């Protein structure tokens, strides 16, 4: 994927660029708003990671507003030290697709950027999700693995649906909390881990080969291992 | 410029402060003394007082001197009409007789008649001759006359009769003129008195105004000088100034509460964040000095990163509490049903509860209308549930219940854990307070502080009670309708 990073802090930018490249992405970097805007409008990217506060007279919001006014729908993730609830709302209202507050864990950033680009492709209203031998019918709300029906609670169904929609990608606990429960705060206890482990009991345990994998220091990934 | 002569700024600085507050530049149209509101009010008072006095004087003049003038004119007009009739009936001789009769009947001796022939020679009348310069036809005039050796003032009307005879009819108005002079003099004196009274009144008003404001302005001055404990004195009269003072005092209370909050947060950062930062730093330094293998190094760095994440979490919680306490989030207030929200929380927390061998039960009415920030209330209750799960012994029961009544909604999270000793309950909602029972559990001591802040933002309270055994944390929030009023009042 081609990713544009607009970030003025050298250390943070260097770290993010290195990390994204190691994960197999092509990264362009601009360290001020003017260059960032120029790159964003003149070249084509799969995703843009945008700092809110930038030197050069043009801040992240301006860049995003300019892009959106030109009907450019490239997915944009804000990476900002402005972490108040209202800042987040402003960023998302301006057309941002996701908002990550500094300081951040790289795994979280990577997971969110990859989730964004998936969203950006626009799958259309699928009625069936398939990962390996796991099948989810979104119309009848039923789940089968290896032809065997699995009974899930409504919330477990939503959790599995989210994991399946992001199959092959890392999904962090915060992403699950936001995407499945629509909660925008961190509970102190490990609630998400408990929910995922219960889901595993139903989806993985009775079958051969796990589908839900724990990614250390990051979160979870649903993937059919190439057997 | 500043670089070329470093001493220049210090020399010019006093000059700047003398000649010009920036406000002076903004209001060049008004001379300086008019910028006193007290003076303006006084001037308006004096002006209104003067205008009323003038209006009164004019009315008095109109009702006395004016009335006399009008009466004289009416009398002359009636006289003229009578004489004209005589002329038509009997010609010149009848007119002469009538005039003579009237002169004879004139007891008050104020009537004036004069009839002259075309050569301006007197035929009959009590004036010696036709006044010089007086037009002979249809003229009104007020002129000095001399009658029987006495100088006097008369108001007259002249006519030309057929055959070029001229007739003059008038009234002696000497008395009236004297009255007018007297009245004019009196009114002029009165105006002087009015001027003096107006000025005196203006000065009184100005000092009243200044005294009413002095109270506020001395307090404001003391506060800008740094003494935040000052409050505006309330006179107890309950008037507009008292109400203004009360409003200002409420504002000051709020400011000092916010200042206390800021101070608490900075103290907390100074003291309570120092410990985990020290730990992270020690881990990194220790690893740099003593790690023998790369694996050791990585492990130390990972632990330090986790420490830093913990610090960030504390930081974010602190900022969030400060944000809530500042009341900035009231914009997100809306009416909503709390029942699905509580059910969602139970759904989220029942899994970890079961994992720890606890049962989490929900008891709440079909509908629970609330007015507030859904996300914040959700987070507050999540904090209470977090605590309850954390402190409950295995096999325990955690009960989330809600009840509405008498305009308040009470949401209770009750557990059978160690509870909070009565002595600690008041302090339990302070930032970073950790009870004896919490020593060995993870946490920063910010959970209840956030719940309390959320409660206060909504005009509610958090009370901690004994669940015998355990803790019952009760969040009292105003019910939907009243809260709407409350928020409207707060916005107004």
């Amino acid at each position: 994927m081609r990713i544009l990073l607009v970030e003025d802090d050298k250390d943070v930018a260097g770290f993010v660029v290195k990390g994204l490249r190691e994960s197999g992405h092509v990264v362009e970097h601009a360290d001020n708003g003017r260059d960032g805007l120029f790159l964003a409008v003149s070249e084509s990217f799969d995703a843009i990671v945008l700092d809110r506060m930038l030197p050069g007279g043009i801040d992240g919001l301006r860049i995003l507003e300019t892009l959106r006014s030109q009907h450019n729908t490239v997915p944009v993730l804000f990476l900002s030290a402005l972490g108040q609830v209202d800042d987040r709302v402003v960023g998302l209202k301006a057309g941002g697709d996701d908002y990550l507050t500094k300081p951040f864990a790289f795994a979280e950033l990577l997971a969110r950027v990859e989730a964004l680009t998936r969203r950006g492709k626009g799958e259309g209203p699928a009625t069936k999700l398939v990962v390996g031998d796991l099948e989810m019918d979104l119309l009848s709300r039923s789940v089968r693995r290896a032809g065997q029906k699995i009974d899930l609670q409504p919330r477990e169904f939503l959790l599995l649906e989210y994991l399946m929609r992001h199959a092959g990608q890392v999904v962090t606990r915060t992403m699950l909390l936001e995407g499945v429960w629509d909660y925008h705060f961190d509970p102190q206890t490990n609630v998400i881990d408990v929910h995922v482990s219960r889901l595993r009991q139903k989806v993985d345990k009775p079958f051969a080969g796990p589908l839900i994998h724990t990614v250390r220091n990051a979160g979870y990934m649903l993937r059919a291992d190439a057997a | 410029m500043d670089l070329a002569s470093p001493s220049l700024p210090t020399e010019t600085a006093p000059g700047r402060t003398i000649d010009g507050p920036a406000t002076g530049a903004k209001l060049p149209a008004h001379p300086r003394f008019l910028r006193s509101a007290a003076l303006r009010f006084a001037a308006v008072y004096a002006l209104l007082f003067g205008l009323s006095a003038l209006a009164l004087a004019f009315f008095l003049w109109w009702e006395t001197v004016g009335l006399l003038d009008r009466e004289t004119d009416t009398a002359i007009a009636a006289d003229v009409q009578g004489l004209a009739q005589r002329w038509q009936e009997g010609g010149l001789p009848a007119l002469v007789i009538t005039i003579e009769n009237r002169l004879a009947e004139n007891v008050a001796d104020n009537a004036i008649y004069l009839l002259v022939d075309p050569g301006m020679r007197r035929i009959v009348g009590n004036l010696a001759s036709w006044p010089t310069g007086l037009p002979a036809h249809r003229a009104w005039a007020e002129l000095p006359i001399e009658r029987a050796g006495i100088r006097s003032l008369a108001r007259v009307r002249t006519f030309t009769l057929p055959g070029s005879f001229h007739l003059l009819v008038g009234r002696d108005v000497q008395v009236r003129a004297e009255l007018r002079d007297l009245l004019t003099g009196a009114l002029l004196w009165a105006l002087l008195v009015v001027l003096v009274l107006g000025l005196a009144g203006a000065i009184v008003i100005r000092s009243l105004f200044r005294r009413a404001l002095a109270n506020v302005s001395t307090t404001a001055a003391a506060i800008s000088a740094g003494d935040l404990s000052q409050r505006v004195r309330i006179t107890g009269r309950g008037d507009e100034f008292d109400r203004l003072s009360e409003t200002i005092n409420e504002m000051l209370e709020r400011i000092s509460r916010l200042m206390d909050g800021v101070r608490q947060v900075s103290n907390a950062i100074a003291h309570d964040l120092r410990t985990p930062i020290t730990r992270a730093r020690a881990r990194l330094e220790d690893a740099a000095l003593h790690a023998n293998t790369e694996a050791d190094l990585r492990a130390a760095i990972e632990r330090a990163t986790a420490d830093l994440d913990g610090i960030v979490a504390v930081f974010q919680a602190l900022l969030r509490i400060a944000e809530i306490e500042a009341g900035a989030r009231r914009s997100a207030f809306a009416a909503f049903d709390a029942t699905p929200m509580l059910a969602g929380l139970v759904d989220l927390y029942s899994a970890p509860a079961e994992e720890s061998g606890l049962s989490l039960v929900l008891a709440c009415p079909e509908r629970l209308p609330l007015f507030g920030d859904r996300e914040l209330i959700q987070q507050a209750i999540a904090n209470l549930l977090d605590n309850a799960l954390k402190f409950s012994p295995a096999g325990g029961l955690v009960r989330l219940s809600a009840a509405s009544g008498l305009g308040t909604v009470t949401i209770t999270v009750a557990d059978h854990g160690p509870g909070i000793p009565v002595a600690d309950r008041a302090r339990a909602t302070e930032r970073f307070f950790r009870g004896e029972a919490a020593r060995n559990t993870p946490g920063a001591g910010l959970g209840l502080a956030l719940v309390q802040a959320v409660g206060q933002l909504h005009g509610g309270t958090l009370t901690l009670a004994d669940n015998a055994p355990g803790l019952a944390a009760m969040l009292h929030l105003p019910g939907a309708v009243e809260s709407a009023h409350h928020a409207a009042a707060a916005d107004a």
Side-chain angles (χ1 to χ4, degrees):
Chain A
M1 282 188 334
R2 254 172 81 74
I3 298 169
L4 171 63
L5 171 71
V6 189
E7 162 68 64
D8 61 314
D9 187 289
K10 268 202 187 65
D11 292 324
V12 174
F15 166 61
V16 171
V17 167
K18 205 196 298 174
L20 288 174
R21 282 189 184 142
E22 272 171 12
S23 310
H25 302 296
V26 178
V27 186
E28 292 283 339
H29 170 228
D31 64 0
N32 65 70
R34 208 166 288 279
D35 295 352
L37 181 60
F38 178 75
L39 278 172
V41 295
S42 59
E43 292 183 33
S44 160
F45 293 96
D46 297 306
I48 299 179
V49 178
L50 201 53
D51 191 2
R52 274 281 296 271
M53 291 180 292
L54 290 166
I58 299 176
D59 67 2
L61 269 184
R62 276 275 297 283
I63 294 180
L64 177 61
E65 280 162 0
T66 312
L67 284 177
R68 294 296 183 247
S69 71
Q70 296 176 354
H71 306 292
N72 188 331
T73 56
V74 58
V76 168
L77 178 137
F78 272 118
L79 185 61
S80 174
L82 299 173
Q84 294 209 325
V85 183
D86 290 341
D87 297 325
R88 197 188 137 85
V89 171
V90 167
L92 296 182
K93 263 201 186 140
D97 298 275
D98 205 349
Y99 201 100
L100 190 58
T101 308
K102 289 179 188 173
F104 59 96
F106 179 75
E108 183 82 38
L109 175 70
L110 181 66
R112 281 172 184 265
V113 168
E114 291 183 344
L116 267 191
T117 53
R118 170 64 62 89
R119 197 192 300 174
K121 279 175 193 142
E123 298 163 324
T127 58
K128 201 169 185 184
L129 301 173
V130 180
V131 178
D133 57 354
L134 181 66
E135 287 176 30
M136 172 178 273
D137 189 330
L138 293 169
L139 293 178
S140 66
R141 315 285 291 169
S142 65
V143 178
R144 285 174 183 278
R145 187 169 176 190
Q148 199 176 325
K149 195 167 185 297
I150 302 173
D151 278 323
L152 293 178
Q153 301 285 326
R155 194 64 69 170
E156 290 168 340
F157 185 89
L158 289 176
L159 180 56
L160 185 61
E161 181 188 338
Y162 192 92
L163 287 169
M164 289 181 80
R165 282 188 187 278
H166 294 93
Q169 294 178 352
V170 176
V171 172
T172 65
R173 292 170 179 84
T174 335
M175 284 165 74
L176 287 175
L177 205 61
E178 287 175 8
V180 179
W181 280 271
D182 194 25
Y183 286 3
H184 294 272
F185 56 89
D186 276 321
Q188 289 167 39
T189 40
N190 54 342
V191 275
I192 296 301
D193 294 339
V194 178
H195 281 276
V196 172
S197 105
R198 297 184 138 211
L199 188 63
R200 273 183 170 147
Q201 294 290 321
K202 293 187 176 177
V203 175
D204 277 346
K205 198 144 181 242
F207 302 95
L211 290 174
I212 303 171
H213 301 268
T214 304
V215 182
R216 200 160 164 271
N217 288 334
Y220 298 97
M221 185 193 285
L222 184 79
R223 121 179 85 83
D225 282 319
Chain B
M1 186 183 81
D2 286 356
L3 286 176
S5 56
S7 66
L8 200 61
T10 50
E11 280 170 8
T12 54
R16 269 185 219 138
T17 52
I18 285 166
D19 68 23
T23 52
K26 273 188 206 157
L27 304 160
H30 300 288
R32 196 180 173 81
F33 66 89
L34 272 186
R35 265 179 257 142
S36 154
L39 208 75
R40 254 189 342 260
F41 274 85
V44 167
Y45 164 79
L47 194 72
L48 281 180
F49 187 71
L51 281 178
S52 323
L54 265 180
L56 192 69
F58 180 77
F59 180 72
L60 217 63
W61 178 269
W62 170 264
E63 276 295 302
T64 53
V65 177
L67 185 72
L68 287 178
D69 274 350
R70 286 193 300 281
E71 272 184 350
T72 308
D73 287 359
T74 315
I76 292 174
D79 240 359
V80 166
Q81 203 164 8
L83 290 177
Q85 214 173 348
R86 297 303 296 159
W87 170 268
Q88 274 169 4
E89 284 167 12
L92 186 62
L95 184 63
V96 171
I97 292 169
T98 311
I99 291 175
E100 279 175 344
N101 284 344
R102 289 203 175 170
L103 281 173
E105 287 162 10
N106 182 19
V107 185
D109 191 28
N110 61 354
I112 293 164
Y113 300 95
L114 181 64
L115 183 65
V116 293
D117 66 8
M120 298 309 254
R121 279 178 302 269
R122 188 172 85 109
I123 299 172
V124 69
N126 55 357
L127 275 190
S129 62
W130 192 264
T132 46
L134 184 69
H137 187 64
R138 287 193 169 272
W140 279 102
E142 200 160 308
L143 68 168
I145 51 164
E146 199 174 318
R147 208 152 48 98
I150 304 161
R151 296 189 133 271
S152 183
L153 193 72
R155 181 159 176 80
V156 299
R157 184 171 165 88
T158 61
F159 288 95
T160 302
L161 300 173
S164 289
F165 289 97
H166 301 291
L167 176 64
L168 179 153
V169 181
R171 287 289 184 276
D172 190 313
V173 290
Q174 182 65 29
V175 179
R176 197 211 64 192
E178 279 164 14
L179 176 69
R180 184 170 62 186
D181 289 348
L182 196 73
L183 207 61
T184 309
L187 285 180
L188 279 177
W189 278 111
L191 272 184
L192 194 69
V193 173
V194 162
L195 198 68
V196 172
L197 280 180
L199 275 179
I203 290 168
V204 169
I205 284 200
R206 192 179 71 154
S207 70
L208 275 178
F209 195 82
R210 282 206 174 150
R211 206 181 316 155
L213 281 186
N215 192 6
V216 176
S217 66
T218 45
T219 310
I223 283 169
S224 26
D227 183 3
L228 258 176
S229 65
Q230 287 285 330
R231 291 294 176 269
V232 182
R233 198 168 38 82
I234 309 272
T235 57
R237 281 194 288 265
D239 57 5
E240 290 86 346
F241 284 107
D242 262 10
R243 259 173 280 151
L244 174 68
S245 307
E246 277 164 18
T247 311
I248 291 174
N249 284 349
E250 276 167 28
M251 179 188 80
L252 292 174
E253 283 301 328
R254 179 153 174 71
I255 289 175
S256 65
R257 263 205 312 279
L258 289 177
M259 296 278 289
D260 282 347
V262 171
R263 202 170 307 127
Q264 270 190 35
V265 171
S266 14
N267 287 349
I269 290 170
H271 297 114
D272 295 82
L273 284 180
R274 206 169 277 245
T275 319
I277 291 173
T278 309
R279 203 184 308 140
R281 193 188 181 287
R283 280 208 175 122
L284 287 173
E285 198 172 354
D286 182 49
L289 291 175
H290 304 116
N292 294 321
T293 64
E294 199 189 309
D296 280 358
L297 210 55
R298 280 190 192 282
I301 289 173
E302 256 170 41
R303 275 204 304 275
T305 310
D307 282 344
L308 284 174
D309 283 346
I311 295 166
V312 169
V314 170
F315 219 66
Q316 270 166 355
L318 272 176
L319 288 174
R320 195 150 168 82
I321 294 169
E323 191 186 351
I324 294 164
E325 282 183 347
R329 288 274 292 156
R330 205 168 272 137
S331 56
F333 273 32
F336 69 98
D337 184 6
T339 301
M341 178 197 84
L342 296 179
L345 281 164
V346 168
D347 178 78
L348 180 68
Y349 279 96
S350 58
E354 274 170 40
E355 210 76 2
S356 323
L358 300 167
S359 40
L360 174 61
V361 295
L362 171 68
C364 113
E366 201 94 317
R367 274 180 47 75
L368 194 62
L370 266 180
F371 183 81
D373 189 323
R374 202 178 78 93
E375 212 170 284
L376 286 182
I377 296 176
Q378 195 177 47
Q379 187 177 359
I381 295 160
N383 279 11
L384 293 178
L385 286 173
D386 260 332
N387 278 349
L389 296 190
K390 210 155 64 178
F391 293 113
S392 284
L397 171 77
V398 175
R399 208 177 123 86
L400 171 63
S401 57
S404 58
L406 285 176
T408 59
V409 169
T410 304
I411 300 171
T412 310
V413 175
D415 63 48
H416 293 300
I420 299 177
V422 181
D424 282 351
R425 270 182 213 155
R427 294 188 55 214
T429 54
E430 283 176 17
R431 292 178 183 81
F432 295 108
F433 177 83
R434 306 213 65 205
E436 210 45 53
R439 283 279 173 251
N440 299 316
T441 51
L446 290 171
L448 288 180
L450 185 130
V451 179
Q452 167 141 332
V454 170
Q456 277 172 358
L457 178 75
H458 288 82
T461 51
L462 167 70
T463 50
L464 303 172
D466 199 341
N467 196 32
L471 179 73
M474 287 177 279
L475 185 60
H476 308 277
L477 299 170
V481 183
E482 280 191 13
S483 294
H485 286 310
H486 175 81
D491 286 347

